[in-house]
């Protein structure tokens, strides 16, 4: 359960730049939804993207399997529910994020939606829930995979928090 919550928090907060509402005044100023026609790059990017891998620089043991088996492959240590992470980027600029929605018997399902924009330098902007995220993506030449990395905290099986650079890779459903 802790891994699921950590993964969800990490992925929701994965943006390098996070700008939230201005709560210093009586009038909350949330970022406006992104509108307008998609660029050619965005039209190519639009579609369904599914989490394919999570790899950390540090070896971690996150599984309660009575075996000391640390690995940099975080994805293989998570359950199907935790790995069932999907982004759908629509051609109308809407996006939907879901966790555990199509895997079997997931207790901690999550969902969010908002608007999106992909810049010329592969900077993905997400606007949802009175916040704006900026995520620098690496997109392969075939436009079938994208990845991003950042520094995340994981709690291993012994309760030790480990901070490590982690790369998340998503594959496009064709």
């Amino acid at each position: 359960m802790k891994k699921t919550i950590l993964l969800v928090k990490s992925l929701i907060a994965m943006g390098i730049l996070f700008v939230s509402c201005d709560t210093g005044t009586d009038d909350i100023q949330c970022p406006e939804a992104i509108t307008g026609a998609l660029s050619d790059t965005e039209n190519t990017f639009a579609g369904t993207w599914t989490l394919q891998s999570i790899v950390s620089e540090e070896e971690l043991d996150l599984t309660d399997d009575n075996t000391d088996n640390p690995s940099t492959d975080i994805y293989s240590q998570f359950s199907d529910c935790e790995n069932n992470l999907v982004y759908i980027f629509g051609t109308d600029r809407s996006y939907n994020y879901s966790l555990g929605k199509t895997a079997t018997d997931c207790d901690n399902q999550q969902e969010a939606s908002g608007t999106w924009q992909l810049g010329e330098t592969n900077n993905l902007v997400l606007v949802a829930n009175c916040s704006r995220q900026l995520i620098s993506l690496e997109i392969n030449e075939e436009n079938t995979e994208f990845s991003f990395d950042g520094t995340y905290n994981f709690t291993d099986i012994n309760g030790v928090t480990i901070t490590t650079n982690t790369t998340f890779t998503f594959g496009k459903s064709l």
Side-chain angles (χ1 to χ4, degrees):
M1 181 62 81
K2 286 183 181 178
K3 292 187 294 185
T4 301
I5 293 170
L6 176 61
L7 177 64
V8 172
K9 286 180 181 178
S10 295
L11 291 172
I12 290 175
M14 68 185 172
I16 294 170
L17 175 65
F18 182 82
V19 180
S20 63
C21 302
D22 177 12
T23 57
T25 66
D26 292 337
D27 296 325
I28 295 175
Q29 300 295 317
C30 294
E32 290 187 28
I34 301 168
T35 60
L38 298 182
S39 68
D40 290 341
T41 301
E42 291 170 319
N43 274 314
T44 301
F45 185 78
T48 301
W49 295 85
T50 305
L51 182 64
Q52 302 292 310
S53 74
I54 308 170
V55 178
S56 65
E57 284 184 357
E58 301 289 326
E59 288 189 337
L60 306 166
D61 188 356
L62 305 176
T63 57
D64 191 8
D65 59 3
N66 296 318
T67 304
D68 184 23
N69 54 351
S71 171
T72 59
D73 183 0
I74 303 304
Y75 187 87
S76 69
Q77 297 184 63
F78 280 160
S79 71
D80 289 343
C81 289
E82 294 163 324
N83 288 331
N84 183 232
L85 178 59
V86 177
Y87 279 97
I88 300 173
F89 296 100
T91 56
D92 61 353
R93 290 220 177 271
S94 68
Y95 84 88
N96 184 40
Y97 158 94
S98 65
L99 175 69
K101 296 299 262 186
T102 59
T104 307
D105 298 325
C106 295
D107 293 332
N108 192 24
Q109 297 180 359
Q110 303 288 323
E111 197 164 22
S113 59
T115 57
W116 69 282
Q117 179 177 37
L118 183 64
E120 295 286 324
T121 58
N122 293 335
N123 287 325
L124 178 64
V125 177
L126 303 175
V127 174
N129 301 323
C130 202
S131 67
R132 178 181 174 101
Q133 294 176 307
L134 174 65
I135 307 149
S136 293
L137 303 181
E138 294 287 330
I139 302 174
N140 70 356
E141 288 184 28
E142 297 81 21
N143 292 303
T144 58
E145 279 190 356
F146 77 78
S147 62
F148 64 88
D149 63 359
T151 303
Y152 297 92
N153 294 324
F154 293 91
T155 303
D156 72 7
I157 196 64
N158 299 314
V160 175
T161 300
I162 300 165
T163 303
T164 183
N165 191 52
T166 307
T167 301
F168 297 83
T169 302
F170 290 77
K172 189 173 187 180
S173 299
L174 302 174

